[in-house]
């Protein structure tokens, strides 16, 4: 696929992406000419061992790290061609990110974790609260749980809050890093099923990275990452 063909696609596309990190005198190649296309409504898993470059792939796709070379396109927009302000706006408006380290705020209830994003965006609080409550209910958190703080929720429930929060801005691309690593098999499977469901209902181009091979039967497509290369 050529770059000009990739630019006509919605969803997420990475074209010949290479990323290196400083490594003493040398550079460590974390991503090696990675190509990836994920269409709206498609749930793709990237599997690979620890250190293979999965989190780096998501950081580049999330426009949080700029690749050494290659392009990241979100709904056909080349993130590398945007200035910092426009790139931040692109991230806020089109990307939903669930990080490996849960970054819920300890003092906020589940519903407030979503609303705090809206106050950053300067929206209307009452409409936003309705939407936050509906989203949390749709990921399986009832009204009582919506009023709890992170320490009053289980690991699986916190992961549901993370997913609802990532969906709050109506993203077209959903990026999820190792969502099951802190969960037992059954709860991990429930989270992957939830991601499959939200991919269908919200139409997101979803990428989940994982080293957990037991859950890969539940996704549309599995790609393998090894030493920074994607197959
Ligand atoms: P994974 O998520 O598959 O475990 P990562 O993307 O975190 O892999 O890491 C890929 C490689 O890049 C590893 O060798 C890791 O040590 C290295 N790496 C990751 N982040 C950094 C960084 N900020 N600086 C230097 N090296 C890094
Ligand atoms: Mg990782």
């Amino acid at each position: 696929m050529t770059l000009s063909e990739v630019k006509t696609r919605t969803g997420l596309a990475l074209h010949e992406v290479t990323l290196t990190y400083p490594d003493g005198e040398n550079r460590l190649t974390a991503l090696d000419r990675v190509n990836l296309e994920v269409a709206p409504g498609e749930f793709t898993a990237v599997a690979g061992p620890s250190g293979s470059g999965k989190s780096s792939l998501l950081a580049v796709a999330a426009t949080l790290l700029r690749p050494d070379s290659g392009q990241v396109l979100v709904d056909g927009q080349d993130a590398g061609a945007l200035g910092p302000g426009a790139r931040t706006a692109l991230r806020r408006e089109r990307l939903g990110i669930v990080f490996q380290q849960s970054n819920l705020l300890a003092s906020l209830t589940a519903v407030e974790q979503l609303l705090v994003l809206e106050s950053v965006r300067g929206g209307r609080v009452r409409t936003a609260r309705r939407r936050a409550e509906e989203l949390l209910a749709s990921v399986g958190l009832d009204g009582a749980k919506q009023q709890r703080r992170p320490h009053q929720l289980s690991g699986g429930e916190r992961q549901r809050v993370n997913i609802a929060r990532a969906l709050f801005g109506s993203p077209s691309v959903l990026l999820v890093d190792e969502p099951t690593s802190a969960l037992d098999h059954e709860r991990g499977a429930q989270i992957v099923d939830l991601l499959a469901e939200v991919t269908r209902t919200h139409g997101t181009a979803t990428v989940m990275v994982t080293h957990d091979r037991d859950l890969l039967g539940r996704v549309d497509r599995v790609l393998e990452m090894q030493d920074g290369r994607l197959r």
Side-chain angles (χ1 to χ4, degrees):
M1 178 104 18
T2 66
L3 182 58
S4 56
E5 283 172 315
V6 163
K7 279 187 173 167
T8 65
R9 306 299 171 95
T10 53
L12 174 70
L14 273 64
H15 181 74
E16 294 286 314
V17 165
T18 293
L19 175 76
T20 67
Y21 295 113
D23 182 27
E25 304 275 278
N26 304 311
R27 310 281 304 178
L28 181 144
T29 301
L31 299 175
D32 189 1
R33 289 162 288 161
V34 167
N35 290 294
L36 171 66
E37 265 194 77
V38 187
E42 183 186 18
F43 186 17
T44 291
V46 174
S50 181
S52 58
K54 304 183 302 296
S55 292
S56 299
L57 175 76
L58 285 194
V60 166
T63 76
L64 295 167
L65 281 183
R66 194 187 270 270
D68 297 43
S69 59
Q71 287 78 33
V72 174
L73 298 118
V74 178
D75 290 339
Q77 276 198 75
D78 184 348
L82 303 174
R87 198 163 55 244
T88 302
L90 175 81
R91 194 182 308 130
R92 200 182 281 162
E93 288 160 16
R94 300 197 187 244
L95 297 175
I97 310 169
V98 180
F99 292 102
Q100 194 165 359
Q101 313 291 343
S102 166
N103 49 2
L104 296 176
L105 298 163
S107 62
L108 299 186
T109 65
V111 75
E112 288 165 351
Q113 307 282 346
L114 277 63
L115 289 178
V116 72
L117 303 176
E118 192 61 26
S119 55
V120 170
R121 292 186 176 112
R124 286 191 188 192
V125 171
R126 200 179 314 152
T127 326
R129 178 172 288 271
R130 266 281 292 284
R131 176 166 162 69
E133 289 167 355
E134 283 167 8
L135 258 178
L136 287 165
S138 79
V139 299
L141 295 171
D142 63 26
K145 288 192 173 153
Q146 294 176 14
Q147 300 308 321
R148 295 196 193 165
R149 294 182 168 73
H151 72 276
Q152 299 165 316
L153 295 167
S154 72
E157 288 165 348
R158 282 198 292 273
Q159 204 54 286
R160 289 169 193 272
V161 177
N162 284 321
I163 292 166
R165 186 176 58 171
L167 292 168
F168 191 62
S170 305
S172 45
V173 175
L174 181 61
L175 304 169
V176 190
D177 198 353
E178 304 267 10
T180 63
S181 54
L183 305 178
D184 62 40
H185 179 81
E186 192 186 330
R187 271 158 233 259
Q190 288 167 358
I191 291 297
V192 178
D193 286 343
L194 172 64
L195 288 167
E197 185 192 319
V198 304
T199 300
R200 278 196 305 277
T201 54
H202 294 260
T204 50
T206 303
V207 182
M208 171 183 75
V209 310
T210 183
H211 67 267
D212 189 351
R213 298 190 165 273
D214 294 346
L215 300 170
L216 297 179
R218 298 161 183 271
V219 308
D220 295 328
R221 178 171 69 148
V222 182
L223 301 172
E224 298 283 339
M225 187 113 213
Q226 179 111 44
D227 295 332
R229 296 199 171 201
L230 195 60
R231 282 176 291 124

